[in-house]
């Protein structure tokens, strides 16, 4: 599938190059990257209504601590076909000592574990499984998209300024944690790939004006870092 652009060079086989027209929506705060990604996905599906979205946040009681399971429930609320794949069905107690999780861990552990426990009854599809790059590419090649949890301290965009002039993963005015050695969770939206150059295209909600790209090896390192549980929320176009 080719959508927004044609690759230069020799002709590519169908599925070798995918770049989906996923709109870019910037996050408003340092904590709402997952919500911004959800807005992008819903707009891509033609289902985003701002007032309905705000109502959904209130109904689902989504606050400043957003987990991937919250985003899965948000997709279910809008009737969007989805599949949430993770390595941990619940909260990994080992994260309690991670600086990124420490502040909200005690209050969030019970809430998040309950969401996992109730997922099947609420028709939220959750699977404990490993997802390969080939699985992701096959998904994107069908016009579908995905929200992925990554370690922003590891993810590097090849299209953005280098060296980094400002933080890639927080809106202007917030502390830049790009160079932090600790885990820093951040959600991005996958929108395509190029097999010839072995890269992944994605929207980073910290930006309002660009698509980002990174090597598959860097993407894999960022999405499999300790702290991510390898969380990926597959979203389907035919919702």
């Amino acid at each position: 599938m080719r959508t927004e652009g044609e690759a230069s060079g020799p002709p590519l086989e169908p599925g070798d190059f995918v770049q989906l027209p996923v709109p870019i929506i910037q996050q408003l705060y340092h904590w709402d990257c997952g919500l911004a990604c959800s807005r992008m996905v819903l707009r891509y599906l033609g289902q985003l209504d701002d007032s309905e979205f705000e109502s959904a946040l209130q109904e689902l009681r989504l606050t400043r601590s957003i987990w991937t399971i919250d985003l899965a429930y948000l997709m279910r609320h809008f009737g969007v076909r989805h599949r949430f794949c993770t390595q941990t069905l619940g909260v990994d107690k080992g994260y309690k000592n991670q600086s990124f999780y420490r502040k909200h861990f005690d209050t969030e552990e019970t809430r998040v574990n309950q969401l996992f426990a109730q997922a099947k009854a609420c028709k939220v599809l959750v699977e404990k499984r490993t997802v390969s790059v080939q699985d992701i590419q096959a998904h994107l090649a069908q016009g579908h998209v995905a929200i992925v949890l990554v370690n922003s301290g590891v993810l590097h965009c090849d299209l953005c300024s280098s060296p980094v002039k400002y933080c890639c993963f927080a809106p202007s005015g917030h502390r830049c944690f790009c160079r932090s050695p600790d885990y820093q969770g951040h959600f991005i939206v996958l929108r395509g790939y190029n097999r010839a150059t072995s890269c992944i295209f994605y929207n980073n909600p910290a930006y309002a004006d660009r698509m980002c790209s990174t090597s598959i090896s860097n993407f894999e390192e960022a999405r499999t870092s300790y702290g991510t549980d390898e969380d990926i929320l597959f979203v389907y176009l035919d919702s």
Side-chain angles (χ1 to χ4, degrees), residues 83-102:
R83 181 162 53 97
F84 170 27
C85 298
T86 181
Q87 291 295 306
T88 307
L89 297 176
V91 176
D92 186 334
K93 288 186 177 294
Y95 295 161
K96 186 172 184 177
N97 297 319
Q98 290 277 317
S99 59
F100 180 81
Y101 287 101
R102 190 179 300 133

Side-chain angles (χ1 to χ4, degrees), residues 5-128:
E6 297 289 327
S8 59
L12 295 175
E13 294 298 322
D16 283 345
F17 180 87
V18 175
Q19 194 176 110
L20 303 173
V22 181
I24 300 171
I25 297 177
Q26 190 173 31
Q27 63 193 90
L28 300 177
Y29 311 100
H30 69 281
W31 54 267
D32 68 334
C33 55
L35 299 184
C37 287
S38 297
R39 288 178 183 269
M40 293 187 221
V41 168
L42 290 172
R43 182 165 291 174
Y44 173 67
L45 298 176
Q47 296 193 34
L48 180 61
D49 178 280
D50 288 333
S51 60
E52 289 182 8
F53 190 84
E54 292 301 324
S55 296
L57 299 186
Q58 294 181 20
E59 183 174 333
L60 296 174
R61 299 180 181 178
L62 299 185
T63 58
R64 293 193 176 193
S65 182
I66 305 295
W67 295 61
T68 318
I69 188 69
D70 290 314
L71 304 184
Y73 270 80
L74 191 56
M75 291 299 118
R76 175 67 187 96
H77 179 91
F78 285 98
V80 172
R81 190 160 72 92
H82 63 280
R83 181 162 53 97
F84 170 27
C85 298
T86 181
Q87 291 295 306
T88 307
L89 297 176
V91 176
D92 186 334
K93 288 186 177 294
Y95 295 161
K96 186 172 184 177
N97 297 319
Q98 290 277 317
S99 59
F100 180 81
Y101 287 101
R102 190 179 300 133
K103 182 178 179 181
H104 299 287
F105 190 90
D106 290 334
T107 56
E108 288 291 274
E109 183 181 15
T110 299
R111 182 186 75 85
V112 172
N113 283 336
Q114 286 179 342
L115 290 177
F116 274 95
Q118 298 167 359
K120 185 175 182 179
C122 294
K123 298 183 179 179
V124 174
L125 183 57
V126 181
E127 296 181 8
K128 181 179 180 180

Side-chain angles (χ1 to χ4, degrees), residues 133-162:
V133 170
Q134 291 73 26
D135 293 332
I136 294 171
Q137 290 175 330
H139 181 76
L140 294 170
Q142 298 301 312
H144 310 311
V145 292
I147 299 175
V148 181
L149 180 61
V150 297
N151 182 354
S152 66
V154 172
L155 189 67
H156 171 74
C157 176
D158 295 329
L159 302 180
C160 295
S161 299
S162 181

